[in-house]
Amino acid sequence: MLAISIGCDNKPIITQLEVGREKLLGAGLAIEAAENLEKAEIEEANTLEPRVLLLLAYSHALSTGDAQSQGLAERYKQERQKRLASLTDDEIKKILDLISQRYRIQKDAMQVLIDKGAQAVPLVISSLGKNQFANAQSDLIEILYRIGPKGLTLMTDALGDPNTPISVKMTLVQVIGRMNDPSAIPALESKRKSGDAGLTMEINLALYQLGK
């Protein structure tokens, strides 16, 4: 009996967070995952991962229509909005990490950052060009584009920041040109004398797209 007892004590305990994470990221079972993650959010109240994964579970269940078919749509919408409103920078970074790993919830993770808007822009910009996010560059660019004019000032500020790599500045100029917002013209014109021929060319192309 003692041996059996010791054997049981050594058996690893599987947490609600681990089960919920696997159901969501591994299988895309959003509603089932949400049940575990709601418990994990209580059990691990000081940990950001349950909150982030639960936000994504609600989002995925809504986007797939599963929440609607199970009569959970209204509650999930309310819970998603509540968590979206209180989303912190650390939680945004966690979502960016998940985006870089390209799970089946990719589009829902992107949509969370798009819906968050301007607060996500600096963190998305800081992820551009980094090896960690090499597989998700097009997704990061799409997030910035779809945030649109709400993030324009932050994007043009990054163009003037000497710590922003030239390659990232060129990408931002391409996004700004694609956004087709004439209010960007003065900021772009002020950056034309950047000293980098490639960046100047991108700025000129963007200005042409904006009718200047």
Side-chain angles (χ1 to χ4, degrees):
M1 290 179 65
L2 179 60
I4 294 172
S5 175
I6 292 172
C8 291
D9 289 343
N10 289 335
K11 186 176 181 180
I13 298 173
I14 300 175
T15 65
Q16 293 289 343
L17 174 57
E18 290 171 320
V19 174
R21 185 197 298 124
E22 179 56 33
K23 285 181 179 178
L24 180 63
L25 303 182
L29 301 173
I31 292 177
E32 292 87 340
E35 293 175 358
N36 296 106
L37 293 169
E38 286 170 346
K39 296 174 184 176
E41 187 179 40
I42 297 170
E43 293 175 354
E44 306 186 35
N46 297 321
T47 306
L48 66 83
E49 188 177 10
R51 297 196 302 274
V52 169
L53 292 179
L54 191 50
L55 170 58
L56 296 177
Y58 292 142
S59 300
H60 192 59
L62 288 165
S63 70
T64 59
D66 290 344
Q68 182 70 35
S69 65
Q70 296 293 322
L72 296 167
E74 286 306 313
R75 182 171 80 84
Y76 277 21
K77 285 177 184 177
Q78 293 174 6
E79 292 292 341
R80 181 184 187 274
Q81 189 57 40
K82 181 174 68 175
R83 285 164 174 76
L84 183 64
S86 62
L87 199 66
T88 66
D89 284 355
D90 285 339
E91 290 169 342
I92 291 173
K93 290 177 183 177
K94 178 63 179 176
I95 292 173
L96 284 167
D97 287 340
L98 293 171
I99 287 174
S100 73
Q101 297 173 61
R102 303 192 63 80
Y103 291 106
R104 64 179 68 227
I105 58 166
Q106 187 82 355
K107 290 183 179 179
D108 300 295
M110 290 171 61
Q111 190 61 53
V112 165
L113 298 189
I114 292 164
D115 292 344
K116 188 60 179 177
Q119 184 184 335
V121 168
L123 294 170
V124 175
I125 291 174
S126 70
S127 301
L128 287 171
K130 290 186 177 179
N131 290 336
Q132 176 188 350
F133 298 94
N135 295 328
Q137 290 299 295
S138 62
D139 291 331
L140 299 179
I141 291 167
E142 185 65 16
I143 290 168
L144 291 175
Y145 171 68
R146 291 180 59 191
I147 288 174
K150 290 182 290 186
L152 183 57
T153 299
L154 292 165
M155 293 183 211
T156 55
D157 286 349
L159 293 179
D161 187 343
N163 295 317
T164 305
I166 289 294
S167 61
V168 173
K169 289 183 179 182
M170 293 173 68
T171 297
L172 290 174
V173 171
Q174 292 168 1
V175 173
I176 292 168
R178 184 181 162 205
M179 282 165 50
N180 198 30
D181 187 338
S183 67
I185 291 174
L188 289 174
E189 287 185 322
S190 70
K191 306 296 188 299
R192 291 176 78 173
K193 297 180 180 179
S194 65
D196 183 90
L199 180 57
T200 299
M201 182 179 72
E202 288 294 346
I203 291 173
N204 287 334
L205 287 170
L207 287 169
Y208 179 77
Q209 287 178 288
L210 293 170
K212 184 70 175 181

